[in-house]
Amino acid sequence: PQVSGVLLIGINKACKLLRFLARSKKKYVGVLKIRNPPKDISEVQKEMDKFIGKFSQIPPKHSAVAKRKRRRRVFSFKALEMQGRKVLFESEVEAGTYIRNLCVGVGEHFGGGYMAELRRVRVADFSENDCVRLPDLVDAVANSSPKLLTSLIKPCEHTITLPALRIRQAAIDAVCRGTALAVSGVASAEAEFARGEYVSMLDGKGRLFAVGIASLSSSEMRKSKGDVIAANPKIVLVEVGVKSKK
């Protein structure tokens, strides 16, 4: 079955930010159909509990990724209701986990089973309540309504949760040209991070204009001065000479 529910879509240069969201936890609600259902749903839950934690799985044959073992974590796997052969379940998993494989694994204890339905109800901090219907976007474009479009499309800085650096205005153009960011161009570090971590680069109004890799940890950055390199830009979202905007 096709998966319905939450799907995050990037527009223009913001597509480059989707890699950070792709690593986030995902939450699903689905229907498992089993061949020989038990008398009590607790028996199904007992089998589901065996998959909690880290385990290895091989992607299904029809998937577009390499068919090799990968370790993924299942944070929760709950049987909510059972009606006949159908079990309504909820699961929160690490990105890249195949719910179909979990259903097959549980079904093996009951003579066979498979995923009959699946709906993605959360990705990272985005739930179904945050979603926008595509027809609403089409209408906003057709009616040339910038105000409506702004209310429907989330700014980049509201989508990713990387540690943030607040950048001085004088350093923004240089960063947008790909120049390494010096400590003197950092107004503040708004979270703790280590060397080599990705960091968001925000302007004075808190708008995201680039993502870079930290050359210093947050504690080292606070102790350093002048032209010491703080971070190297990797993803630039605005054009040189154009003020960062949503």
Side-chain angles (χ1 to χ4, degrees):
Q2 296 296 317
V3 177
S4 60
V6 179
L7 176 64
L8 303 183
I9 299 174
I11 299 175
N12 298 329
K13 292 185 179 180
C15 293
K16 297 177 181 179
L17 300 177
L18 294 179
R19 70 174 79 172
F20 302 108
L21 295 169
R23 304 172 185 171
S24 303
K25 290 182 183 178
K26 294 178 174 63
K27 189 174 184 180
Y28 296 90
V29 171
V31 174
L32 161 65
K33 196 167 185 180
I34 50 183
R35 179 172 296 175
N36 302 314
K39 293 182 179 180
D40 195 282
I41 194 173
S42 62
E43 292 298 311
V44 178
Q45 185 61 60
K46 183 178 178 181
E47 292 304 309
M48 288 182 169
D49 288 343
K50 295 178 181 179
F51 291 91
I52 302 298
K54 277 204 167 185
F55 74 103
S56 297
Q57 62 174 193
I58 299 176
K61 292 181 180 180
H62 67 274
S63 65
V65 299
K67 309 303 184 291
R68 59 172 179 266
K69 280 189 177 182
R70 51 174 68 188
R71 289 186 64 77
R72 292 293 184 268
R73 182 180 295 277
V74 176
F75 300 98
S76 66
F77 198 9
K78 300 176 182 178
L80 303 177
E81 298 177 14
M82 186 170 70
Q83 185 174 15
R85 295 171 55 200
K86 294 182 178 180
V87 179
L88 177 67
F89 67 86
E90 178 185 85
S91 184
E92 187 173 24
V93 298
E94 181 182 356
T97 303
Y98 287 91
I99 303 296
R100 185 188 305 273
N101 288 17
L102 297 180
C103 290
V104 170
V106 172
E108 287 178 354
H109 187 76
F110 304 101
Y114 63 92
M115 183 183 77
E117 298 178 36
L118 190 66
R119 185 168 184 83
R120 190 185 300 109
V121 296
R122 178 176 288 276
V123 177
D125 293 328
F126 295 93
S127 70
E128 290 182 292
N129 293 332
D130 300 307
C131 289
V132 174
R133 296 173 62 251
L134 287 179
D136 293 335
L137 279 176
V138 172
D139 290 344
V141 173
N143 296 327
S144 300
S145 176
K147 186 176 181 180
L148 180 57
L149 273 175
T150 300
S151 69
L152 296 176
I153 300 174
K154 292 186 179 294
C156 295
E157 59 271 12
H158 293 177
T159 60
I160 61 175
T161 56
L162 298 174
L165 294 178
R166 189 80 62 153
I167 310 303
R168 300 185 191 281
Q169 187 63 39
I172 291 179
D173 270 7
V175 170
C176 290
R177 291 189 179 92
T179 303
L181 173 68
V183 171
S184 58
V186 179
S188 63
E190 302 188 353
E192 298 301 315
F193 52 85
R195 288 189 184 194
E197 279 193 55
Y198 279 100
V199 291
S200 298
M201 296 183 179
L202 311 178
D203 67 11
K205 295 183 179 181
R207 297 172 297 195
L208 178 68
F209 68 90
V211 173
I213 296 180
S215 300
L216 301 173
S217 67
S218 51
S219 58
E220 291 171 333
M221 206 172 288
R222 295 187 186 100
K223 298 174 184 176
S224 302
K225 296 180 180 180
D227 295 331
V228 176
I229 301 302
N232 288 285
K234 294 298 180 183
I235 300 173
V236 176
L237 302 171
V238 299
E239 296 178 9
V240 176
V242 178
K243 292 182 178 180
S244 58
K245 57 184 178 180
K246 294 183 180 179

